[in-house]
Amino acid sequence: GKLDDALATFKNVRAIQERVLGAEHASTLSTTMEVGNALQCQSRFQESEVLYRELLVVQQRVLGAEHPATLHTRFNLCWALYEQGMLGEAKTRCREVLEAFRRVLGAEHRHTIAASQLLAQLTN
């Protein structure tokens, strides 16, 4: 369906970006995030977890640990862990990313609110 088409498109674009721009270019990293998002939309949480972990290593080195894109990947990893029932790690990581979102984006930013909501689910 449409999700399969989107995933295939993102993977194709990422392959081209890696060849033309390099694996660590900001656009390539952004498209890699979209691949992970498409996997999550298909409930392929284990695959998205692996991709987000790999992406985080590069983002932290290239963009920095508290860059908004890195924080977004950290949040998406929390969600992938939550969906797989890995609640302990999800809770720990969610607390960390929530604090970072508050520092970097502010308490009222939509990503901060989303992380707060996920943490509330993990705490119940």
Side-chain angles (χ1 to χ4, degrees), residues 30-96:
S30 178
T31 302
T32 302
M33 170 70 92
E34 294 300 339
V35 171
N37 294 346
L39 289 168
Q40 293 230 76
C41 287
Q42 294 179 325
S43 299
R44 293 165 63 179
F45 300 109
Q46 191 171 14
E47 290 173 76
S48 65
E49 174 200 349
V50 170
L51 185 135
Y52 291 142
R53 288 185 192 276
E54 292 170 356
L55 179 58
L56 271 175
V57 171
V58 178
Q59 285 179 316
Q60 288 174 344
R61 186 177 68 253
V62 174
L63 303 175
E66 294 205 344
H67 186 281
T70 307
L71 294 178
H72 199 168
T73 301
R74 288 172 61 190
F75 175 72
N76 286 350
L77 175 58
C78 294
W79 193 261
L81 295 168
Y82 168 73
E83 290 290 347
Q84 294 177 82
M86 301 168 73
L87 304 182
E89 184 181 357
K91 189 174 181 180
T92 299
R93 286 181 173 272
C94 193
R95 273 195 187 106
E96 293 168 357

